[in-house]
Amino acid sequence: MNKAFLLLAALGACTALCAPVRAEHADKEKRDTIPIARVPDVPPPSREKLDASIRKAADFLLGSQNRDGSWGSHTRTKGLNVICPYPEGPRSFRTASTSLCVIGLLASPLKEDPAVKTAVDRAIQYLLTTLPTLKRGDTRTVLGVWGHAYGLSALSRAASNLPVNSPLYAELKKVADLQVKALDQMADVQGGWGYYTFETFSKRPIGEPTSFLTATVLIAYKDAERAFGLKPDPRILKRAVAGLEKLRTPAGSYVYSISHTFYPGRPINRHTGSLARTPAGDLALLLYDPDFISRRQLEDGLERIWSRGGWLSLAVKKPIPHESFAQNAGYFFYYGYYYAARCLSEVPQERLTRHASHLAADLLPMQEKDGSWWDYPLYNYHKFYGTGYALYAVSRVRDSLYPANPASAP
């Protein structure tokens, strides 16, 4: 009896001693294997400075919209161009660029401005007409994924304040449903989405799923679910999420594509090359598998961008893809900051000002004199998708720092 009593007492003491340790461990969010040192805070920009930037960007878009309501064209070529087969390649790029302009304008505080509303209405009609007819360009490319994905997000944002029984909402939902089905069809058999196939042609692409395009589509799916209640094929979704998880390294970076999983140590796959992909990947996985990634890991992804002091901007306007340090390309820049801005909705309130201010400090100086932002000379689409990306990001900064209703701020 004495031995049994002593054993129970010892077990009880051990449990009491270990309980605080387990509780403390439970309070700690998952972290990546490579820590990140925080750089100091930066002063937040004034509301007036943000408003002036947004106004310039909107004026640029209003003054450059095409007759059919779209933005961008295939008219400015150079000696080295990305593969973009006629006619579907240009249609996909124009549709994606137009969608990003719609997203940026609808996120801005100018969305109720009469001229802005007119421009957005024309662009929405272009998307409603064009999105259902996007096709695959040729055996080498699946560029339509960009048009379908950003088109889906644009339609979802356009529907956000409409009554669900309105005719326009019904039309938006109908076309959005077609985009979900199209993206389901364009998913790679390996799980996820890519935009080049090169050697193999099949109804279901067999190519090279990339981490960033997979994240883009997953986030667009979530936009459609929130706006319309639409959901993708669960088998497609499961494979895509699993595929994206395989592309995330324990250090917190995302390898470029599925073949890069064999070369995680290459510069493009380490943090310096993954900075622009990390916010999109982390946000997508947090939305679909929050047990896989924590908000602390997502925040660390943002901290890595701020800690690099404009590293991604070194690639801006370089005409050759991946010619910058760590194989960064010019068209990584605004993509990365757009998704960094989308991550602000997942940042704790006490650190929201820090992240929003750093984002603005990197973006505002990059705006051109004509009000646009652009990163890489891509036919005549770069100023429009670049401005759409950046306008959304700056508008989210404004919402974060100067919310119209502080009590309901994210």
Side-chain angles (χ1 to χ4, degrees), residues 204-336:
R204 176 82 67 193
I206 305 174
E208 182 78 348
T210 67
S211 55
F212 51 98
L213 187 50
T214 299
T216 297
V217 175
L218 288 174
I219 293 169
Y221 276 159
K222 185 60 69 173
D223 290 342
E225 181 182 345
R226 290 169 172 169
F228 304 111
L230 299 173
K231 294 185 179 181
D233 183 324
R235 296 168 299 176
I236 298 294
L237 181 62
K238 183 179 180 180
R239 283 200 297 267
V241 172
L244 184 58
E245 289 177 348
K246 291 175 184 175
L247 299 179
R248 192 181 197 277
T249 73
S253 64
Y254 286 82
V255 300
Y256 190 83
S257 62
I258 193 167
S259 66
H260 281 251
T261 56
F262 298 103
Y263 312 100
R266 284 183 176 176
I268 196 172
N269 298 323
R270 299 200 296 267
H271 284 298
T272 47
S274 176
L275 285 180
R277 299 188 295 275
T278 299
D282 284 353
L283 179 59
L285 291 181
L286 188 64
L287 292 173
Y288 286 98
D289 191 359
D291 290 333
F292 182 84
I293 186 172
S294 70
R295 280 181 169 77
R296 171 55 63 185
Q297 288 171 300
L298 177 139
E299 249 192 287
D300 280 353
L302 299 179
E303 291 288 359
R304 293 186 194 282
I305 298 179
W306 319 146
S307 72
R308 290 288 172 176
W311 169 263
L312 287 171
S313 67
L314 297 175
V316 169
K317 300 183 180 179
K318 291 185 180 296
I320 302 174
H322 307 295
E323 70 173 302
S324 188
F325 302 101
Q327 297 169 275
N328 280 294
Y331 45 81
F332 288 9
F333 185 83
Y334 292 108
Y335 176 90

Side-chain angles (χ1 to χ4, degrees), residues 109-404:
L110 299 174
K111 58 181 177 292
E112 298 299 328
D113 179 277
V116 171
K117 288 186 71 173
T118 299
V120 169
D121 288 345
R122 292 175 59 211
I124 291 295
Q125 289 305 311
Y126 170 83
L127 295 177
L128 290 173
T129 302
T130 307
L131 281 169
T133 63
L134 283 184
K135 300 176 183 178
R136 184 170 178 175
D138 64 1
T139 60
R140 300 169 298 168
T141 63
V142 200
L143 295 174
V145 177
W146 291 110
H148 290 301
Y150 284 126
L152 185 58
S153 289
L155 298 179
S156 301
R157 181 163 284 274
S160 59
N161 293 319
L162 291 176
V164 295
N165 58 351
S166 68
L168 180 56
Y169 179 91
E171 189 174 5
L172 292 169
K173 182 175 181 179
K174 178 182 177 181
V175 176
D177 186 48
L178 294 175
Q179 305 318 296
V180 172
K181 290 180 169 61
L183 289 167
D184 284 353
Q185 283 292 320
M186 300 172 90
D188 195 279
V189 296
Q190 300 174 86
W193 289 264
Y195 48 98
Y196 290 136
T197 55
F198 292 125
E199 297 178 358
T200 306
F201 180 77
S202 60
K203 182 178 179 181
R204 176 82 67 193
I206 305 174
E208 182 78 348
T210 67
S211 55
F212 51 98
L213 187 50
T214 299
T216 297
V217 175
L218 288 174
I219 293 169
Y221 276 159
K222 185 60 69 173
D223 290 342
E225 181 182 345
R226 290 169 172 169
F228 304 111
L230 299 173
K231 294 185 179 181
D233 183 324
R235 296 168 299 176
I236 298 294
L237 181 62
K238 183 179 180 180
R239 283 200 297 267
V241 172
L244 184 58
E245 289 177 348
K246 291 175 184 175
L247 299 179
R248 192 181 197 277
T249 73
S253 64
Y254 286 82
V255 300
Y256 190 83
S257 62
I258 193 167
S259 66
H260 281 251
T261 56
F262 298 103
Y263 312 100
R266 284 183 176 176
I268 196 172
N269 298 323
R270 299 200 296 267
H271 284 298
T272 47
S274 176
L275 285 180
R277 299 188 295 275
T278 299
D282 284 353
L283 179 59
L285 291 181
L286 188 64
L287 292 173
Y288 286 98
D289 191 359
D291 290 333
F292 182 84
I293 186 172
S294 70
R295 280 181 169 77
R296 171 55 63 185
Q297 288 171 300
L298 177 139
E299 249 192 287
D300 280 353
L302 299 179
E303 291 288 359
R304 293 186 194 282
I305 298 179
W306 319 146
S307 72
R308 290 288 172 176
W311 169 263
L312 287 171
S313 67
L314 297 175
V316 169
K317 300 183 180 179
K318 291 185 180 296
I320 302 174
H322 307 295
E323 70 173 302
S324 188
F325 302 101
Q327 297 169 275
N328 280 294
Y331 45 81
F332 288 9
F333 185 83
Y334 292 108
Y335 176 90
Y337 279 84
Y338 169 77
Y339 285 103
R342 294 203 59 160
C343 287
L344 293 180
S345 61
E346 304 296 336
V347 170
Q349 183 66 38
E350 62 270 20
R351 293 190 292 276
L352 184 58
T353 296
R354 169 180 171 76
H355 292 294
S357 299
H358 269 290
L359 198 157
D362 287 354
L363 266 188
L364 291 177
M366 302 294 289
Q367 190 170 22
E368 306 289 330
K369 290 182 179 180
D370 63 2
S372 71
W373 283 272
W374 67 276
D375 50 9
Y376 169 84
L378 182 68
Y379 300 100
N380 192 30
Y381 305 109
H382 50 291
K383 282 195 173 185
F384 304 106
Y385 70 74
T387 302
Y389 277 141
L391 178 56
Y392 173 87
V394 173
S395 298
R396 282 293 292 118
V397 167
R398 187 187 186 279
D399 289 344
S400 300
L401 297 178
Y402 307 105

Side-chain angles (χ1 to χ4, degrees), residues 60-73:
F60 167 76
L61 292 178
L62 296 181
S64 54
Q65 190 172 22
N66 297 325
R67 284 186 180 183
D68 61 2
S70 67
W71 278 279
S73 66

